[in-house]
Amino acid sequence: MNPAPPALRVVEFGSGVGVPFAGKMFVNFGADVVKAERGDGDWTRSKPPLIDHDGERVGALFHFLNAGKRSILLDDDNSDSAIAALWSWADIVLVDEEFHADERISGRFTAAGPKVVTAVTPYGLTGPEAKRPGTASTAFARCGEGSITPAGIGYRQFPEAPPLGARGKVADIDAGVIAVVATLAAVGSTDDSIDRLDPPVQIDVSVLETQVSHNRWLPSNFSRTGWIETRASTPYPVGGMLPCQDGHAMFLPATDRHWQAFVEIVGRPDWALADNLVTREGRVAAGEDLRERIMEWAADVPKAALLEAGLAEGVPLGPYRSMTEVAACPQLNQRGFFVQYGEAGSGMKVPGLPAPGFAGQVAMAPGLGRDDIASLRAPARAPTTSTTPRTHEEHAR
Amino acid sequence: MLDFTVNAAGPYAAWLLAALGADVIKVESHSRPDPVRGSEDRPYIHSNFFEDTNTGKRTVALDLKTAAGREAGLELAVRCDAVMSSFRPGVMDRLGLSSATIIERRPAAVVASFSATGSAGPHAGLPGFAGIFNALGGLGALTGYVDGPPTELRTSIDMRAGAMFSAMIVAALREARLTGVGRAIDFAATEAVALLSGEFLTASLLGSEDFEQRVGNRDEMWAPQGTYATRDGRWVALAVRTDDEWDRLVTVFGDGTRDTATFGTAAQRRQAADAVDEIVGGWADRFDAEDFAERLSAVGTAATVVRTADEIAGDPQLSARGFFTTTPGMRGNADVAVGSAPWTTNGQRPTFSPGRPLGADTATVLTEVLGIPPAEAIQRAAELDEGVALARSGS
């Protein structure tokens, strides 16, 4: 077994969500992540919902994305030298469209390495629309997913309402994830693999392409069958979203066994025992009649009981949960999904990664310009404010 | 990579790894193929999108119901850098393919399992698909019209979770290469979805509670953000991020009769969101969708026509960047437009070999990975999945 590898050095020239989400994953993987900010700082610092802490009001989004990072302010006096210093320090440079518009940053893309330079922009760095403004919401709408959202009950209740986007900045987070995948692969996995990345590897991630990729079945299905999925399509021929006693639940019986177990859950009423429902084809054919029966049953059942039944019988059945319910979920808490935020005893937690065994603690998101360039050469702040011990080891170059 | 995953999320994760250059060996059997391969006798699988996420892989047929199939699975597993699965928790253990077994024989192995809620804990083992993770993870309840129900998000949720799964695997592979120590990854898709709403989840964890109400297309900061009907009966989505942007829009589209000062700040526009929607809706109503989106974009506002499934493959920006390719349909149908991976490295798109019929690479893989001589490997391949022989005799 070899000693722990040196922490990857990551610089974020990016505000908002895409680049900072990539940086958040790097923090959770043990990297040393430095966030460059300009002016009043990342706009997510002031995006509601706001959190009052230590006499400051800072956006929950900023806390979520920037825990465990350092912050360097690029002001008028220092920015040229700071950009140069950050660039030369980094193994990985992440750049969004706003910072890319600064030629002092985009002009360095081909400068001597060794490093990986990854851009995360709305449409990619090339093509006729490279400079077009874009947001997570417009990517969601343009990729096709907007045209099928909502379907099912949501559409039937509001057929005249505009198509919906996912709440929050989902498309930007998706692009951040893809940036991590492509960047980590390019960094390589030998002791000297980064040193060999000269000239630098350039990765170009498009938020739009990420959304189209994640919705790839829409164009491929169209090209295969001519079928245009819409909001009026039936998303789930059997089951789907069910209003229940205290909210909504999802029921997705994919197999005959799921159906048989569900019949037991509903107490074997005559309608559920009908011969035509024994096969999937029969259940699909039963269509709206069956849906009505299932909805009638669910109307009186609370969410917690539905989840319990799904777990007990091995049926894909679960509640739509609020954030408060997600935060309190015993499963997520037991798995350690929420990691300690700030110093031991702070009593605060933030979401970590979707598998146990990575960073169990992250430092508080930094104040604007809390760190200076000189700190890049210094090892370590105190371990209690760190992500993992590995984060503090200096690069042994 | 030895890939036991099926359906959408796991195969997409493996496909992203294939895009990075991994040699992905997909394991199925004729008695238990990946359901998305689709077949004429399964008409209920209405989105046979196998080609979408299974190009660039090799395909091996092993009947894991037989001892020989399981043994071959283990022998392949311990010769791979990573093993991926999406069975319900416990199944890999019963097949003799537990992470402990694999890591004992190959300490640097990354053994990654994908499930709805994870392998241990009070909610372990809930069978789930994208619709279930979307509900349990909270994004579904956050998304929806103000007076409406939560929102069903579908296949995209599998892909979003699958992409995170691949990121975890790449990170673990790097760590394993550098340290010689692998790890098991017990991935929970519910948590991946929760990360998509991480902003709101963090707000809840840190004590804020004023955001649970669904808001339609509106944003908590940018205003207006919404989707508006245009003269030609289509929809345009837009987001105004700054007050300067709003001023420009008023200059270009305003009719001079409104007191724009009332809405000069984002806070004012959020406060009067219905009135602002009415103003923007009035602008949208004067133009066709394409025209309106271009005019908005020209003054710096993020805007797009809400595209439908038939319009995606012809998107000019995607075309200019070479995002779509065509690949032969696996079921003898016409070429299918399949998106590439959503990034370029030094200007190059990842490329993929076409999808393959189930088991087409079994013998080759037995030879290359297990060192079984070619002639013997063909025989072994037939033994490891009786369906191989049946398929051959039937064709």
Side-chain angles (χ1 to χ4, degrees), chain A residues 47 145 162 174 209 211 213, chain B residues 12 145 156 160 199 321:
Chain A
K47 182 186 179 295
E145 190 164 9
D174 291 334
E209 287 173 9
Q211 293 311 285
S213 184
Chain B
Y12 186 52
Y145 301 118
S156 66
R160 292 179 170 117
E199 167 184 12
R321 286 169 55 82

Side-chain angles (χ1 to χ4, degrees), chain A residues 47 126 129 142 145 162 165 167 174 188 202 209 211 213-214 216 220 224 229 241 324 331 335 357, chain B residues 12 52 117 120 123 145 152 156 160 174 183 186 191 199 212 217 220 315 317 321 339 346 349:
Chain A
K47 182 186 179 295
T126 63
E129 298 179 56
R142 181 161 166 178
E145 190 164 9
R167 178 91 173 266
D174 291 334
Q202 291 182 47
E209 287 173 9
Q211 293 311 285
S213 184
H214 288 3
R216 53 188 40 244
S220 75
R224 186 184 295 114
E229 185 85 359
M241 182 160 61
T324 309
Q331 178 71 7
R335 278 170 48 86
Chain B
Y12 186 52
D52 281 352
T117 51
H123 299 170
Y145 301 118
E152 293 168 338
S156 66
R160 292 179 170 117
R174 179 169 189 276
R183 68 160 80 213
D186 177 13
E191 293 171 2
E199 167 184 12
E212 298 268 18
N217 283 312
E220 298 74 22
D315 184 294
Q317 174 68 4
R321 286 169 55 82
N346 290 337
R349 284 275 172 207

Side-chain angles (χ1 to χ4, degrees), chain B residues 26-57:
Chain B
K26 183 180 179 77
V27 180
E28 303 161 87
S29 67
H30 283 79
S31 59
R32 202 191 153 114
D34 186 337
V36 300
R37 278 189 186 270
S39 57
E40 296 306 334
D41 61 346
R42 294 191 194 210
Y44 54 86
I45 296 180
H46 55 93
S47 60
N48 295 327
F49 55 177
F50 187 80
E51 297 92 345
D52 281 352
T53 53
N54 291 287
T55 54
K57 301 177 185 176

Side-chain angles (χ1 to χ4, degrees), chain B residues 52 62 84 155 169 281 327 389:
Chain B
D52 281 352
L62 299 180
M84 306 167 64
T155 304
I169 292 169
T327 190

Side-chain angles (χ1 to χ4, degrees), chain B residues 96-356:
Chain B
L97 291 162
S98 73
S99 56
T101 303
I102 294 168
I103 289 173
E104 187 185 352
R105 288 194 46 195
R106 185 182 174 93
V110 171
V111 185
S113 70
F114 181 103
S115 65
T117 51
S119 72
H123 299 170
L126 185 73
F129 306 100
I132 300 285
F133 330 143
N134 175 56
L136 289 177
L139 181 60
L142 281 173
T143 301
Y145 301 118
V146 175
D147 300 319
T151 297
E152 293 168 338
L153 298 167
R154 295 185 267 165
T155 304
S156 66
I157 291 294
D158 274 324
M159 308 308 230
R160 292 179 170 117
M164 280 194 212
F165 189 45
S166 67
M168 306 290 287
I169 292 169
V170 175
L173 279 169
R174 179 169 189 276
E175 174 191 61
R177 281 277 177 86
L178 287 169
T179 64
V181 180
R183 68 160 80 213
I185 296 175
D186 177 13
F187 187 93
T190 295
E191 293 171 2
V193 171
L195 281 178
L196 298 175
S197 312
E199 167 184 12
F200 302 102
L201 185 53
T202 300
S204 183
L205 290 163
L206 299 182
S208 170
E209 288 174 356
D210 58 355
F211 58 84
E212 298 268 18
Q213 172 72 43
R214 289 183 275 278
V215 297
N217 283 312
R218 285 177 186 159
D219 185 68
E220 298 74 22
M221 185 172 192
W222 298 338
Q225 175 176 286
T227 302
Y228 301 89
T230 49
R231 187 172 63 183
D232 54 352
R234 300 204 62 181
W235 301 96
V236 166
L238 64 88
V240 175
R241 290 166 290 178
T242 67
D243 296 341
D244 285 349
E245 262 183 69
W246 175 253
D247 289 345
R248 287 197 295 274
L249 291 181
V250 169
T251 305
V252 171
F253 295 105
D255 58 10
T257 61
R258 296 275 183 176
D259 180 5
T260 55
T262 309
F263 302 128
T265 69
Q268 288 167 329
R269 294 192 296 279
R270 285 198 302 272
Q271 185 73 34
D274 288 343
V276 170
D277 277 347
E278 203 176 303
I279 292 171
V280 178
W283 298 344
D285 199 36
R286 284 161 38 202
F287 301 96
D288 288 347
E290 301 286 350
D291 187 17
F292 188 48
E294 292 316 303
R295 286 169 187 261
L296 290 161
S297 185
V299 294
T301 291
T304 181
V305 179
V306 176
R307 296 279 173 218
T308 48
D310 53 320
E311 297 176 310
I312 309 302
D315 184 294
Q317 174 68 4
L318 297 172
S319 299
R321 286 169 55 82
F323 180 72
F324 276 101
T325 53
T326 54
T327 190
M330 285 283 293
R331 289 165 54 198
N333 39 14
D335 284 356
V336 176
V338 171
S340 183
W343 71 83
T344 64
T345 300
N346 290 337
Q348 300 296 307
R349 284 275 172 207
T351 56
F352 302 88
S353 56
R356 304 261 288 156

